[in-house]
């Protein structure tokens, strides 16, 4: 299957993308991984992207699209892929359509992970990270430490990252609503959107997604 995964920050896209890609035996292609891989390998696209990033500018759509094209042409993506973080806006979605059309392939589904805005704020703003080891992550509601403000693993101080503050989360949601959310309507017009709730245990959300994708695939 060829799938685009969309949803607001805090919807669990990264977690579900990894799980779904493994279940479906297709590569998980994320924008972040594309940038990191190209920059670390010092490809021409990586050098170009880094020059924009070092200058504090957004990487132009055409660079992101070229990276995605290169990745989708790799042998492991021959029978499908799951795109996470791309396309990020309607112009990228249009470019992706043109790219797939030129290869005589098409998307099978656009999986929309739906989550109430206040739940997004609660999920992200509740995160607490250990200053000693950022892999030690807690949540004030869902996985609180035994002692408030203290890491269970090493005793380090727990803190809230600036990116996780409620103000920052709400700004990220504004960007999502204005830039990325319109691609849902764009793909709805093509009959590709499958919407599921991302509330509940991770396993349940994964199963919900797989069942929805199977129905979409069977109906195609």
């Amino acid at each position: 299957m060829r799938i685009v995964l969309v949803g607001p920050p805090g919807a669990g896209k990264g977690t579900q993308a990894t799980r779904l890609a493994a279940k479906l035996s297709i590569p998980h292609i994320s924008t972040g991984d594309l940038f990191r891989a190209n920059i670390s390998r010092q490809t021409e696209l990586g050098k170009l992207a880094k020059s924009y990033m070092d200058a504090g500018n957004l990487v132009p759509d055409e660079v992101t699209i070229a990276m995605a094209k290169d990745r989708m042409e790799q042998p492991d993506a021959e029978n499908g892929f799951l795109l996470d973080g791309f396309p990020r806006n309607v112009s990228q979605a249009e470019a992706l359509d043109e790219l797939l059309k030129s290869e005589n392939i098409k998307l099978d589904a656009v999986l929309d992970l739906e989550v109430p805005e206040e739940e997004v704020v609660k999920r992200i703003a509740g995160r607490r990270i250990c200053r000693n080891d950022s892999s030690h992550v807690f949540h004030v509601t869902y996985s609180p430490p035994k002692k408030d403000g203290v890491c269970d693993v090493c005793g380090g101080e727990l803190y809230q990252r600036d990116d996780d503050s409620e103000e920052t989360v709400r700004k990220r949601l504004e960007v999502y609503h204005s830039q990325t959310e319109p691609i849902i309507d764009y793909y709805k017009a093509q009959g590709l959107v499958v919407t599921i709730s991302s509330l509940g245990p991770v396993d349940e959300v994964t199963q919900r997604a797989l069942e929805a994708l199977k129905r979409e695939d069977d109906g195609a």
Side-chain angles (χ1 to χ4, degrees):
M1 292 189 81
R2 296 176 177 87
I3 305 163
V4 167
L5 186 64
V6 296
K13 292 189 300 297
T15 299
Q16 292 303 326
T18 302
R19 294 167 69 90
L20 292 170
K23 294 277 189 184
L24 297 168
S25 300
I26 55 177
H28 167 208
I29 303 175
S30 79
T31 309
D33 288 345
L34 286 176
F35 284 138
R36 282 187 288 273
N38 277 275
I39 290 170
S40 67
R41 296 203 315 268
Q42 296 191 335
T43 66
E44 289 306 311
L45 287 171
K47 291 175 184 175
L48 188 56
K50 191 172 186 298
S51 69
Y52 284 101
M53 293 161 73
D54 287 348
N57 297 320
L58 291 174
V59 177
D61 282 355
E62 56 265 29
V63 177
T64 304
I65 292 160
M67 285 185 183
K69 178 178 186 292
D70 179 66
R71 180 64 185 87
M72 288 187 288
E73 289 175 346
Q74 299 303 310
D76 66 335
E78 186 176 346
N79 295 317
F81 48 75
L82 189 151
L83 295 175
D84 168 21
F86 174 82
R88 195 174 292 275
N89 53 49
V90 172
S91 63
Q92 287 186 2
E94 291 171 341
L96 176 61
D97 276 355
E98 288 300 313
L99 172 59
L100 296 178
K101 188 177 179 181
S102 70
E103 301 293 328
N104 201 30
I105 57 179
K106 61 184 182 65
L107 290 175
D108 294 296
V110 175
L111 182 62
D112 173 26
L113 297 182
E114 197 171 60
V115 59
E117 190 158 307
E118 289 310 309
E119 175 65 17
V120 168
V121 175
K122 185 178 179 181
R123 285 181 179 184
I124 300 177
R127 287 180 191 154
R128 297 295 182 268
I129 315 294
C130 177
R131 287 197 187 276
N132 294 343
D133 188 332
S134 61
S135 70
H136 302 163
V137 182
F138 297 84
H139 192 283
V140 295
T141 303
Y142 302 122
S143 55
K146 293 173 183 173
K147 185 178 178 182
D148 191 33
V150 179
C151 176
D152 289 355
V153 183
C154 68
E157 178 194 357
L158 298 180
Y159 76 105
Q160 182 188 55
R161 296 182 306 186
D162 290 342
D163 282 354
D164 292 343
S165 72
E166 181 173 338
E167 181 183 4
T168 302
V169 174
R170 292 195 184 279
K171 285 179 181 175
R172 288 169 63 192
L173 283 166
E174 286 177 14
V175 172
Y176 172 77
H177 291 317
S178 65
Q179 295 184 13
T180 305
E181 199 169 44
I183 73 172
I184 296 173
D185 285 336
Y186 174 82
Y187 284 123
K188 275 183 179 176
Q190 300 179 35
L192 290 172
V193 176
V194 179
T195 301
I196 66 159
S197 169
S198 70
L199 295 176
V202 172
D203 287 344
E204 284 184 17
V205 177
T206 303
Q207 192 56 39
R208 203 178 293 151
L210 288 169
E211 288 170 1
L213 290 169
K214 186 177 186 303
R215 286 196 298 272
E216 182 73 6
D217 196 34
D218 289 345

